[in-house]
Amino acid sequence: MSRTISIDPVTRIEGHARISLQLADSGEVEDAKFHLTQFRGFEKFCEGRPYREMPALTARTCGICPVSHLLASNKACDDLLAVSIPPTAEKLRRIMNLAQLLQSHALSFFHLSSPDLLLGWDSDPAQRNIFGVMAQNPELAKQGIKLRQIGQTIIEMLGGKKIHPTWVVPGGVNEPLDSSKREAMLEMLPNALTIAKDTYALFKTMVPRFKDEAEHFGTMPTMFLSLVSPKGQLEHYDGFLRLKDAEGRIVEDMVPPSDYPRIIGEAVEDFSYMKFPYYKPMGYPNGIYRVGPLARLNNADSCGTPFADVALAEFHMLQEDSGPVRSSFHYHYARLVEIIFAIEMMQRLLKDQGILDTRVRARARGNRNEGIGVAEAPRGTLMHHYRIDDAGLISWVDLIIATGHNNLAMNQSIKQVADAYVDGNKLSEGMLNRVEAMIRCYDPCLSCASHAFGQMPLSIELKDAAGNTLDRLVRDA
């Protein structure tokens, strides 16, 4: 008799989700689905708001990566203003984005994924967490906390607070950087780089232990999408879209972010509140691709900083053939390379002679009725697309979230892992943890990605402070 296994909730991720495994009578896995079960709907309730509110509004989709939304939203607003922001403002935005990358990658690797890597997939769930890591390897746990603290502190020094800063504004940033803050940030970064290098060296020694997982954790052929610089280097703030296929051949290159609707489509399914983006020329679901650190390193010709370029060369050696690194298990490796790059690049930007320039904002009214902002969030390519009326009020919003880009790949990945490890006739906790761990490789940010109405049951109530219902939306499956 067929049955369904439900992993609910999926643990050590941001947001709420479950995994369902459909088993055949024989106990083999017939199907696997990743369900985003929370609904946010920012695309709809932002309609009617003044466009200048969008950066602060959309940053509230998440408390882990608000800087990513702040930047993508402000880039869309820059487009509405039809302005080029001052060069110093761009550099300051880049520093904040890299600090966000640093703190988010540190959270993913040290707090969410290291318990599996250090304590084992089959270890006691009560111990398989950050507290178990603290008990077994207290120094590594301290380093993870310190690395994230440095990223958060830099965000706070630039933006005024660690979470939901409003320092980045349409046209640039609110105020210039002063010399005392620059020196304080530069003093922190050597320690951060030492921690990053030590962690990277440690993880390289661990990789051979996970050869079996690397062969089964999301190795299906997909394309890879990311931004690259005009020179084809690793890029997180600006640049052009590049898409490579599973063999490493460039499918699309130097695509202006404003042209993304030509290549990216969106589908919905009845089992998730997350959209399913796909590569339009190949159709849905064949146009599957991945984003994030794995895609960025596969697409980049180089990083452009000394140690990160050495690490990038070692990263490419993970794949035995000449193609891109295909295993989603190696998202962990790619995050450590990007942490090193982020620290090296922040040092370079902070030492720039023009970083203290006081001209950091271009001012204008709305000069266009449509604006697109694209940046690389820690989890991948983030797209904000707005339309406004002549009064400057939002009439339409499309948010294509980094985690959403990976939705097709995550669903295929858990099926592959379940096929390899799950036996319905003799289930073990460790089997199911490997399925969860597959999702943790992608480090999904589900609060950010929950915007699709799809076909799932939906009930939303808006109440006032006294608890009276002001509006109610109910739709059956």
Side-chain angles (χ1 to χ4, degrees), residues 210-321:
F210 301 107
K211 184 177 180 180
D212 190 68
E213 285 78 13
E215 290 178 355
H216 295 101
F217 274 37
T219 59
M220 65 283 167
T222 73
M223 294 174 285
F224 298 94
L225 176 74
S226 72
L227 290 173
V228 293
S229 76
K231 296 181 179 180
Q233 291 183 315
L234 183 62
E235 176 60 62
H236 294 91
Y237 173 77
D238 207 359
F240 299 90
L241 293 168
R242 173 177 284 178
L243 188 73
K244 281 187 178 180
D245 68 14
E247 303 304 319
R249 295 182 292 260
I250 293 178
V251 179
E252 300 274 357
D253 204 18
M254 297 298 150
V255 177
S258 59
D259 198 28
Y260 89 84
R262 178 181 65 81
I263 63 172
I264 303 300
E266 299 172 87
V268 294
E269 296 281 3
D270 62 2
F271 60 86
S272 179
Y273 285 128
M274 179 161 46
K275 296 183 287 187
F276 289 76
Y278 60 95
Y279 178 51
K280 273 185 178 178
M282 292 184 65
Y284 179 81
N286 294 328
I288 180 175
Y289 60 87
R290 282 177 275 181
V291 300
L294 185 74
R296 288 191 289 257
L297 294 195
N298 277 330
N299 282 345
D301 298 331
S302 67
C303 291
T305 62
F307 197 85
D309 273 331
V310 173
L312 178 64
E314 294 173 338
F315 167 81
H316 285 303
M317 292 172 63
L318 293 170
Q319 189 65 34
E320 293 181 359
D321 57 37

Side-chain angles (χ1 to χ4, degrees), residues 388-465:
I388 60 173
D389 62 21
D390 290 339
L393 301 180
I394 293 288
S395 60
W396 178 86
V397 175
D398 189 26
L399 303 176
I400 307 183
I401 308 301
T403 296
H405 287 292
N406 281 330
N407 202 2
L408 277 169
M410 288 190 292
N411 276 273
Q412 289 197 18
S413 295
I414 58 171
K415 175 63 163 63
Q416 184 185 22
V417 172
D419 285 341
Y421 294 104
V422 175
D423 182 350
N425 296 314
K426 49 179 181 179
L427 283 175
S428 70
E429 202 281 332
M431 292 178 185
L432 301 183
N433 182 47
R434 282 179 171 84
V435 179
E436 284 191 76
M438 177 67 264
I439 294 298
R440 289 192 282 268
C441 289
Y442 289 94
D443 187 28
C445 190
L446 301 177
S447 297
C448 294
S450 180
H451 303 293
F453 280 85
Q455 301 296 316
M456 292 181 71
L458 179 67
S459 177
I460 300 173
E461 284 191 347
L462 179 64
K463 295 185 177 182
D464 62 17

Side-chain angles (χ1 to χ4, degrees), residues 86-260:
T88 299
E90 180 182 322
K91 292 170 186 173
L92 291 170
R93 285 184 178 185
R94 284 180 178 274
I95 293 170
M96 179 174 272
N97 196 35
L98 292 166
Q100 158 76 11
L101 186 86
L102 170 61
Q103 70 86 13
S104 181
H105 279 358
L107 174 66
S108 174
F109 182 81
F110 290 95
H111 294 71
L112 305 183
S113 293
S114 72
D116 295 322
L117 304 174
L118 292 173
L119 306 177
W121 316 103
D122 303 294
S123 58
D124 181 359
Q127 303 297 321
R128 197 175 58 227
N129 50 49
I130 187 60
F131 299 105
V133 174
M134 289 178 180
Q136 177 163 316
N137 195 330
E139 186 58 32
L140 183 71
K142 289 178 184 177
Q143 287 182 332
I145 293 169
K146 182 64 177 177
L147 205 57
R148 186 161 190 261
Q149 179 191 40
I150 291 170
Q152 290 285 70
T153 300
I154 291 173
I155 292 171
E156 184 179 28
M157 294 178 73
L158 290 171
K161 51 185 179 178
K162 295 177 181 178
I163 301 176
H164 304 313
T166 55
W167 171 72
V168 182
V169 292
V173 298
N174 254 335
E175 61 181 12
L177 178 67
D178 66 50
S179 58
S180 62
K181 288 182 179 179
R182 176 173 73 163
E183 294 308 314
M185 286 186 276
L186 282 171
E187 287 179 7
M188 289 186 284
L189 291 176
N191 184 26
L193 188 57
T194 298
I195 293 173
K197 288 181 177 180
D198 289 347
T199 306
Y200 173 74
L202 172 64
F203 186 68
K204 280 199 301 181
T205 67
M206 297 170 62
V207 168
R209 289 166 37 193
F210 301 107
K211 184 177 180 180
D212 190 68
E213 285 78 13
E215 290 178 355
H216 295 101
F217 274 37
T219 59
M220 65 283 167
T222 73
M223 294 174 285
F224 298 94
L225 176 74
S226 72
L227 290 173
V228 293
S229 76
K231 296 181 179 180
Q233 291 183 315
L234 183 62
E235 176 60 62
H236 294 91
Y237 173 77
D238 207 359
F240 299 90
L241 293 168
R242 173 177 284 178
L243 188 73
K244 281 187 178 180
D245 68 14
E247 303 304 319
R249 295 182 292 260
I250 293 178
V251 179
E252 300 274 357
D253 204 18
M254 297 298 150
V255 177
S258 59
D259 198 28
Y260 89 84

